[in-house]
């Protein structure tokens, strides 16, 4: 962290750190949006609206609101399936999508009648929830991955075709899409600067997704890791419960914790917990999160430095 490029800095002490995961430690937004796009298509909903409404919240809460007739006893199974689909998207190699796009187009053509086809570049026509559950209209996981990958690449492909009508333009656009999970700037340095018993993860993702993302970015799963499917949690973010539970498991008072968050719902949860909240602009622009009560708003964790004090406290210096 170079303090010379920032106008001011603040210093404070704390006893531990509570990290959100996706959007804060890792970036899997492309895979997450692909999975929610697939779910929206399945339910006949507008993908953009579903993505906007679900960010930063537990998949269980989102699925209960979105899926008609979903019973509580089936929620855990549906969350497992959904989060497995996120990791499947994340593991899809970019270079393999040329064949997938072609395959998806042929499937789409056979499933969409000429009278309802808007254009040769249109996505699969959304079906109603009742129709989506009909066995004859259900798609395999491979079909869903292919169709959603095609939809996500559609806008980029159209732009390239307009600018360059060469036969290689579309292939180039497809290769750009990468849904792999990445570690965010400053995260590894931050985690490496913290003793193992001084930090925890409190995420809106269930265990499958959380551990999958951390493993894919070589981040060691911390001793305290509160996931959305923790049976002790009654409420998820924007309620403070995940952070309160993580602080308790870590053995510190929530008011002596530092919360790192990126989403509006997560920031609200951190503020409600009483912790010192540092919001990172990794998934939302500054104007979307700077008025939610966070004590500091930074671009990345590179702006935060941690020192160990002799009494066991952590001293944080935030440049902004």
């Amino acid at each position: 962290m170079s303090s010379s490029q920032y106008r001011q800095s603040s210093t404070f002490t704390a006893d531990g750190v509570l990290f959100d995961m996706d959007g804060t430690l890792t970036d899997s937004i492309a895979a997450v949006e692909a999975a929610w796009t697939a779910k929206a298509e399945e339910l006949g909903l507008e993908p953009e609206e579903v993505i906007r409404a679900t960010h930063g919240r537990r998949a269980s809460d989102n699925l209960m609101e979105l899926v008609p007739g979903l019973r509580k006893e089936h929620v855990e199974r549906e969350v497992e399936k959904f989060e497995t689909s996120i990791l499947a998207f994340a593991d899809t190699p970019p270079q393999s999508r040329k064949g997938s796009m072609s395959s998806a187009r042929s499937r789409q053509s056979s499933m969409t009648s000429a009278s309802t086809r808007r254009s040769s570049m249109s996505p699969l026509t959304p079906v109603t929830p009742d129709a989506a559950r009909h066995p004859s209209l259900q798609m395999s996981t491979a079909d869903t991955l292919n169709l959603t990958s095609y939809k996500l690449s559609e806008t980029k492909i159209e732009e390239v075709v307009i600018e360059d009508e060469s036969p290689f333009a579309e292939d180039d656009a497809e290769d750009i899409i990468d849904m792999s999970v990445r570690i965010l700037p400053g995260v590894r340095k931050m985690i490496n600067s913290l003793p193992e018993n001084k930090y925890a993860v409190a995420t809106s993702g269930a265990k499958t997704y959380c551990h999958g993302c951390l493993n894919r970015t070589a981040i060691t799963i911390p001793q305290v890791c509160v996931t959305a499917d923790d049976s002790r949690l009654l409420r998820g973010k924007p309620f403070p419960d995940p952070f309160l539970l993580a602080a308790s498991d870590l053995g510190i008072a929530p008011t002596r914790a530092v919360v790192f968050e990126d989403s509006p719902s997560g920031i609200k949860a951190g503020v409600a917990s009483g912790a010192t909240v540092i919001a990172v602009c990794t998934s939302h622009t500054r104007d979307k999160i700077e008025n939610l009560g966070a004590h500091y708003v930074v671009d990345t964790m590179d702006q935060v430095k941690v020192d160990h004090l002799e009494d066991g406290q952590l001293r944080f210096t935030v440049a902004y």
Side-chain angles (χ1 to χ4, degrees):
M1 179 179 67
S2 175
S3 58
S4 60
Q5 65 186 101
Y6 302 105
R7 290 177 295 179
Q8 55 185 328
S9 64
S10 293
T11 301
F12 61 90
T13 61
D15 294 332
V17 182
L18 310 178
F19 293 107
D20 170 54
M21 187 198 67
D22 198 36
T24 301
L25 297 179
T26 64
D27 176 14
S28 61
I29 189 66
V32 171
E33 291 190 352
W36 280 120
T37 295
K39 179 57 68 174
E41 296 277 348
E42 174 190 327
L43 298 173
L45 302 174
E46 180 59 42
E48 288 78 9
E49 293 180 4
V50 170
I51 290 170
R52 185 163 51 249
T54 56
H55 190 80
R57 300 174 67 230
R58 295 187 299 181
S60 57
D61 295 333
N62 292 325
L63 291 171
M64 283 291 291
E65 292 179 5
L66 294 172
V67 180
L70 180 59
R71 297 181 179 180
K72 288 185 178 180
E73 60 266 30
H74 296 156
V75 171
E76 185 175 344
R77 179 188 65 191
E78 292 303 311
V79 169
E80 173 77 13
K81 288 168 56 179
F82 177 75
E83 296 199 344
T84 298
S85 77
I86 297 176
L87 298 176
F89 278 115
D91 292 339
T92 305
Q95 63 271 23
S96 73
R97 285 196 200 114
K98 179 179 178 181
S100 297
M101 295 304 122
S102 175
S103 179
R105 290 191 186 96
S106 64
R107 289 188 182 92
Q108 179 184 347
S109 177
S110 64
M111 296 175 68
T112 310
S113 67
S115 60
T116 59
R117 189 181 301 126
R118 291 186 292 272
S119 73
S120 61
M121 294 296 293
S122 65
L124 179 68
T125 302
V127 295
T128 63
D130 288 338
R133 288 193 288 268
H134 194 283
S136 66
L137 292 178
Q138 290 180 344
M139 294 182 290
S140 67
T141 300
D143 288 338
T144 302
L145 288 168
N146 289 336
L147 286 167
T148 305
S149 297
Y150 171 55
K151 178 175 177 59
L152 291 173
S153 64
E154 178 183 276
T155 302
K156 184 66 177 178
I157 291 172
E158 288 178 338
E159 291 174 355
V160 174
V161 170
I162 291 172
E163 295 174 358
D164 182 357
E165 296 183 355
S166 73
F168 305 103
E170 185 173 312
D171 289 348
D172 292 340
E174 289 167 358
D175 289 341
I176 293 174
I177 300 172
D178 186 352
M179 292 188 276
S180 59
V181 184
R182 295 180 174 85
I183 190 168
L184 286 163
V187 169
R188 200 169 307 280
K189 181 179 179 181
M190 171 62 66
I191 290 179
N192 289 342
S193 69
L194 296 170
E196 290 185 4
N197 64 343
K198 290 289 187 178
Y199 72 93
V201 165
T203 175
S204 291
K207 185 176 181 179
T208 296
Y209 175 47
C210 175
H211 288 196
C213 286
L214 294 179
N215 285 332
R216 282 164 174 76
T217 51
I219 297 176
T220 301
I221 298 171
Q223 297 173 4
V224 176
C225 191
V226 176
T227 56
D229 49 351
D230 193 308
S231 60
R232 299 171 295 171
L233 278 179
L234 298 179
R235 305 177 301 180
K237 303 171 187 179
F239 295 100
D241 302 35
F243 290 124
L244 295 176
L245 182 56
S248 176
D249 287 352
L250 204 58
I252 64 174
T255 54
R256 291 291 299 163
V258 176
V259 163
F260 282 92
E261 261 288 359
D262 70 295
S263 72
S265 62
I267 293 169
K268 291 175 183 178
V271 172
S273 75
T276 298
V277 178
I278 301 177
V280 288
C281 301
T282 46
S283 66
H284 292 73
T285 55
R286 183 176 292 266
D287 62 295
K288 295 294 192 301
I289 62 175
E290 63 183 352
N291 297 315
L292 299 175
H295 299 79
Y296 305 95
V297 180
V298 298
D299 295 323
T300 72
M301 275 189 214
D302 279 324
Q303 291 171 240
V304 185
K305 179 185 177 183
V306 181
D307 294 304
H308 304 166
L309 302 182
E310 292 183 1
D311 59 3
Q313 293 186 95
L314 302 173
R315 183 175 62 200
F316 289 81
T317 303
V318 183
Y320 54 99

